[in-house]
DNA sequence: CGGTTGTTTGAGGACGTTCAAGTACTGTGG
DNA sequence: CCACAGTACTTGAACGTCCTCAAACAACCG
């Protein structure tokens, strides 16, 4: 790990929570891999050999079925650990990890990771919070899939990208529309139509550039509630 | 907690992993509540005051939207801790818990739970495994919702209830079809039709009583794979 | 400039929902 | 034990949403 990577690592929440000393022990035998856009880090069904942490870039976790349909369950960005569960439980990955951008990924051998889990009290404590947060992410997504329409899911997705609760907003989406569609559980065509349907509610878009005329109105329209914050 | 409840508690995985001594400290200020079928344990949006463990019976975790549509995200049974995340992170519940049967539920004050998390190393370690397991449950469900049809979801649900990989099977579903439909993300009518569509593949049902003529064939039909096990 | 890739639009169809009616269960009181 | 009410489940018809396939268009990159 060079000093730039070290700096990236030191900027993470995980580093702050765990402390420099424990991080040093954790990363003794870790390596950093530069991953080009589109590369696969591991495949669903693989046995986990490493725990991954995104130092820079973004990584998607997705799945494909036998008939070539694919979806994205979650996207992790710089500073985040992802799919810990497989490594912790020593069970095959349920998802495939793919780099969405040129990225740098810290790879900690699962063996060492699990050893620290067993020997360092504070380490487990930090992971409990991380896992609890990830769990809530997925619960929210399941609620969205089961209770909201495609248009509403897009609206919620946009609203989660901005902080303000009212007024206007302009944002540039940082994923391909392609990727966003997969994340939201719809086809690219449906995403395009979902943008179309939101146009009536003050959402204009050209490509990835989006403006929202009235945030409060959009929140009401897609039934964005306090639990979505 | 009376001795019957104590016995139920001692039969749980959680008890086995944590050990009697730690359990005693955890349950010092805990209480057991008898919950009638249909009762609400807490509502989405509530602030968590307790961590719950099912001693007997079953509890559903679900959500409702403003227009009265509701869904069930997960069902927990005897021996399981549920919605830890809200208590651990001190954030509002994302879901409503409802008792599906007359149940007995152990309620541990969140404060004590979190205190032990901070002071007892082994406690965090056990929870890491619990949370990792719960996470994988949700990932599987998201994959199902995004990649499989209603009929396939039902098939997978049935196959998960049985151990055998081939041959025939007979099983009695222990939830109302109503509840199963909500869990699988469809209406009761659609569930009924899903059973209808599986009839062509050797699944016969009358009410909750189901027989599967050829497990291996059904597995192929609904694309049940090794990651679903 | 042409090729590749990403986005939009249209037409048609599949899947699942809704609404409505009918049938089968289950438990209760007579 | 039966009658009955209430609930649970099934079936049918019509509708809506989202997907599929196909084509047009735009943007980007060599």
């Amino acid at each position: 790990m060079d000093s730039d990577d070290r700096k990236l690592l030191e900027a993470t929440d995980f580093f702050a929570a765990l402390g420099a000393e424990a991080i040093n022990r954790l990363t003794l035998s870790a390596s950093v891999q530069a991953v080009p856009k589109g590369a696969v880090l591991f495949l669903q069904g693989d046995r986990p050999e490493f725990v991954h942490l995104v130092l820079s870039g973004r990584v998607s976790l997705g799945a494909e079925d036998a008939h070539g349909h694919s979806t994205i369950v979650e996207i992790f960005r710089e500073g985040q650990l992802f799919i810990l569960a497989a490594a912790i439980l020593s069970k095959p990955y349920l998802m495939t990890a793919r780099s969405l951008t040129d990225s740098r990924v810290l790879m900690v051998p699962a063996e060492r990771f699990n050893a620290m889990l067993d020997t360092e009290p504070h380490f487990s404590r930090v992971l409990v919070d991380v896992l609890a947060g990830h769990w809530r992410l997925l619960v929210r997504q399941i609620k969205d899939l089961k209770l909201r329409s495609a248009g509403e899911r897009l609206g919620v997705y946009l609203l989660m990208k901005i902080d303000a609760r009212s007024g206007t907003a302009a944002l540039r989406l940082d994923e391909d529309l392609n990727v966003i569609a997969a994340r939201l559980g719809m086809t690219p065509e449906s995403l395009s139509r979902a943008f179309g349907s939101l146009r009536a509610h003050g959402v204009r878009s050209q490509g990835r550039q989006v403006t929202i005329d009235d945030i409060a109105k959009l929140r009401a329209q897609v039934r964005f509630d306090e639990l979505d914050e």
Side-chain angles (χ1 to χ4, degrees), chain A residues 40 60-61 76 134 136 197:
Chain A
V40 169
S60 73
L61 300 177
F76 286 104
H134 286 183
R136 285 171 68 92
S197 75

Side-chain angles (χ1 to χ4, degrees), chain A residues 138-148 225 227:
Chain A
L138 297 192
V139 168
R140 263 190 272 257
Q141 184 170 166
I142 291 174
K143 286 173 62 175
D144 276 358
L145 288 169
K146 285 178 161 175
L147 295 173
R148 287 203 250 241
D225 62 55
L227 296 179

